[in-house]
Amino acid sequence: MNPTTRRTLLGAGLALPFLSTARAQAGWQPSRPIRIVVPFGPGGVADLTARAVAQRISERLGQPAVIDNRPGAGGIVAGQQLMAAPADGHTLLVASNGTAISKALFRQLPFDPLTDFAPVVTMGAFPIAVVVAPNSPDRDIAGLLARLRANPGRLNIGSITAGSTQNLSAELFKIRSATRFETIAFPATPALTTALIRGDVDAAFEITGPIWGQIQSGALRVLAVTSATRAQNLPDVPTLAEAGVADYDVASWNALVARAGTPPEAIAAYNTAVNEALRTPELRATLTQVGVEPRGGTAAEMGQLLAADTARWTEVIEKAGIPRQ
């Protein structure tokens, strides 16, 4: 991502201008600025996606869309902000597969994402890549699997943050491939990639956005992606399922949810606005620049995605023996 694009995306959505010329012609209308709570800090993929989509929501519904970054506690801080707001359609939350993980990982959440949140729409998805250092002996997943099986429990696979999607994706890989290895969690991507290149870990699971520059430069080699289909920006890289790891399909995703009890007509208005925006070449190009594949779809489909990921990560956490917090 070039600096100009990054500055543009970071600037969008802080207090977007009122654009009455693009006001929707019929249906529910927000009567005051729209607040979009993001459970991550500025500059990350979720934040950039939310800002890009917020601008189009503002244009279509005729009110400013204000981004409110509330990182912390695995999304709990942001979720509490949504629950503290009226269920009148003027506050939305960026949910993600992390929301599903929180439901599976925390014994006592102050809210239940499956019952206290109302699905609105999926914005985009981004695959996780299985990467190795350029001097790794593993040229493909078959090679990595062969080494893992020849050295049970002796190899290390890295990720960021215990309990993150990347970390649980590595655990799911262990389960689906019936291999044994140590999963090592690092505090952030730079520490992970440094350890990988230095040889402290043999492979790593990470979303493509933060390591895209290293992939392009050859500092990291991608063996596979975790999604059901090949990544748009890595069309020559196989999926794990294609590489022989059956029943493996993981992608990070970002979506919008409202509080349960929000008027259905408000949810429908946001769903329509986002789906229309996601069909425009401009927004699709913007999201692609930050490694996001535009999705869209119905509110029901977004709810099904959250429920399915909650069930999946609950199973992985239990089988991996990860303590619930």
Side-chain angles (χ1 to χ4, degrees):
M1 177 175 27
N2 62 58
T4 300
T5 299
R6 187 178 186 86
R7 286 194 299 270
T8 300
L9 287 170
L10 285 172
L14 291 174
L16 294 172
F18 182 86
L19 298 172
S20 58
T21 57
R23 177 178 284 272
Q25 298 301 309
W28 181 85
Q29 296 285 323
S31 60
R32 62 179 186 274
I34 303 155
R35 178 187 178 204
I36 300 178
V37 184
V38 180
F40 305 97
V45 173
D47 176 71
L48 296 174
T49 300
R51 290 173 187 273
V53 171
Q55 182 176 0
R56 274 69 183 188
I57 288 176
S58 178
E59 292 168 354
R60 282 160 174 75
L61 296 183
Q63 285 285 351
V66 181
I67 297 296
D68 184 2
N69 295 97
R70 298 284 180 141
I76 293 176
V77 174
Q80 289 176 312
Q81 292 296 311
L82 177 66
M83 296 305 298
D88 60 4
H90 290 84
T91 303
L92 300 173
L93 170 71
V94 174
S96 68
N97 44 295
T99 307
I101 291 171
S102 293
K103 167 72 173 170
L105 187 61
F106 292 102
R107 293 183 182 278
Q108 291 186 326
L109 282 174
F111 48 80
D112 186 335
L114 296 179
T115 58
D116 292 332
F117 296 169
V120 176
V121 66
T122 305
M123 294 184 290
F126 35 101
I128 295 166
V130 184
V131 294
V132 295
N135 61 350
S136 168
D138 304 317
R139 310 302 300 183
D140 50 30
I141 290 296
L144 176 60
L145 288 173
R147 276 214 303 147
L148 288 170
R149 288 169 178 149
N151 302 276
R154 296 178 184 173
L155 273 63
N156 300 322
I157 291 185
S159 72
I160 63 162
T161 318
S164 65
T165 304
Q166 297 91 316
N167 179 250
L168 294 183
S169 294
E171 294 291 352
L172 181 60
F173 175 69
K174 185 188 300 182
I175 294 168
R176 295 286 190 262
S177 64
T179 55
R180 286 171 44 212
F181 54 82
E182 176 116 13
T183 305
I184 300 178
F186 293 84
T189 301
L192 170 63
T193 54
T194 297
L196 182 60
I197 293 170
R198 194 168 53 204
D200 296 338
V201 293
D202 297 281
F205 281 66
E206 179 57 297
I207 60 174
T208 57
I211 57 174
W212 185 242
Q214 289 145 309
I215 292 172
Q216 288 184 306
S217 70
L220 294 176
R221 184 166 69 245
V222 184
L223 302 185
V225 293
T226 62
S227 48
T229 58
R230 296 191 178 197
Q232 292 178 7
N233 57 352
L234 293 168
D236 297 327
V237 174
T239 67
L240 276 176
E242 288 177 321
V245 183
D247 193 26
Y248 198 106
D249 172 16
V250 174
S252 289
W253 50 268
N254 289 315
L256 291 176
V257 299
R259 244 188 93 180
T262 296
E265 55 270 25
I267 290 174
Y270 284 120
N271 181 275
T272 298
V274 173
N275 274 294
E276 288 179 352
L278 288 172
R279 287 193 287 268
T280 64
E282 296 81 9
L283 182 55
R284 296 184 72 84
T286 296
L287 295 181
T288 300
Q289 287 179 36
V290 295
V292 175
E293 299 178 0
R295 285 291 174 90
T298 68
E301 289 169 339
M302 195 257 115
Q304 291 164 4
L305 176 62
L306 177 60
D309 265 11
T310 298
R312 184 221 310 267
W313 298 128
T314 299
E315 177 189 6
V316 171
I317 287 168
E318 290 175 353
K319 287 187 175 181
I322 298 173
R324 298 188 70 192
Q325 301 175 24

